[in-house]
Amino acid sequence: MVVLNKIYTKTGDDGTTALGSGERRPKHDLRIEAYGTVDETNAVVGVVRLHTGTADTDLDAVLGRIQNDLFDLGADLATPDTGEDLGYEPLRITDAQVEALEAAIDRFNAELAPLRSFVLPGGTAASAHLHLARTVSRRAERLMVDLAAREQVTSAAVKYMNRLSDFFFVASRYLNAKGDGDVLWVPGQNR
């Protein structure tokens, strides 16, 4: 369990931060950048939920589960698997979490008509914020893939972020009157 009695520790004043293993790394380290962007994704989901709580309680519940999963993902990334005994079992994203996200994608997508054009970010406030969450989660995924090319990252973590951007896209369409309120791209419209 996490206990935060004191918010500032001054240990990061030298430009480093501690990983879950206790190892210190520069704050610009790729691993720190990856889990920081996962945290940024979570913050955007919090903004989305300002617009979904009473509008769609089913979707809001899924978004709440995603926020918790994103903290799990941050913990996963913050504790690299070095093979050393840490004295505790590090938290890892599981295939079950990926499968739950896939089930949510399938459930909400089943109510949408097929797309005939690309969708521009917009429509309802919640949909626009879901598009922002989608783009931030894609940046997090790119950072994680880059990190995985250099260091160990669990495959379920990368899969989760890949599915998450898909979920945000489907959810944005769902909240745009199940796709009827989508703002569609018109190629060359302003030439």
Side-chain angles (χ1 to χ4, degrees):
M1 183 51 105
V2 176
V3 177
L4 299 173
N5 290 328
K6 189 168 182 166
I7 301 305
Y8 65 91
T9 62
K10 301 182 183 182
T11 59
D13 290 351
D14 64 353
T16 65
T17 193
L19 297 178
S21 62
E23 175 190 356
R24 296 202 66 83
R25 295 223 186 153
K27 291 185 179 186
H28 65 271
D29 183 87
L30 184 56
R31 185 169 289 276
I32 311 309
E33 197 60 38
Y35 71 71
T37 308
V38 168
D39 188 38
E40 185 180 350
T41 302
N42 205 340
V44 177
V45 174
V47 174
V48 170
R49 293 187 71 200
L50 293 173
H51 304 284
T52 60
T54 57
D56 192 304
T57 55
D58 186 34
L59 180 61
D60 188 66
V62 174
L63 291 170
R65 192 183 77 238
I66 287 170
Q67 284 194 291
N68 200 81
D69 285 352
L70 288 171
F71 258 83
D72 289 354
L73 179 56
D76 186 333
L77 290 170
T79 311
D81 185 2
T82 60
E84 297 176 27
D85 181 16
L86 299 174
Y88 65 93
E89 178 81 25
L91 189 57
R92 301 287 179 221
I93 288 291
T94 66
D95 288 332
Q97 288 168 293
V98 175
E99 291 162 7
L101 196 50
E102 289 171 348
I105 293 167
D106 292 342
R107 185 171 80 239
F108 289 103
N109 195 51
E111 298 189 41
L112 304 177
L115 274 173
R116 303 278 184 245
S117 177
F118 287 105
V119 175
L120 300 177
T124 66
S127 294
H129 283 100
L130 280 162
H131 279 288
L132 179 59
R134 175 184 56 80
T135 61
V136 175
S137 69
R138 282 190 174 172
R139 179 164 32 97
E141 180 189 9
R142 289 190 301 271
L143 291 166
M144 289 170 61
V145 168
D146 189 10
L147 179 62
R150 303 162 193 250
E151 299 182 34
Q152 194 281 330
V153 174
T154 60
S155 63
V158 174
K159 286 180 198 173
Y160 188 90
M161 283 310 286
N162 182 269
R163 299 305 182 282
L164 188 59
S165 63
D166 294 335
F167 173 80
F168 290 147
F169 179 75
V170 167
S172 73
R173 294 196 63 224
Y174 178 82
L175 287 178
N176 269 343
K178 297 185 180 172
D180 289 341
D182 284 339
V183 180
L184 300 178
W185 172 50
V186 180
Q189 178 180 20
N190 301 315
R191 288 186 187 182

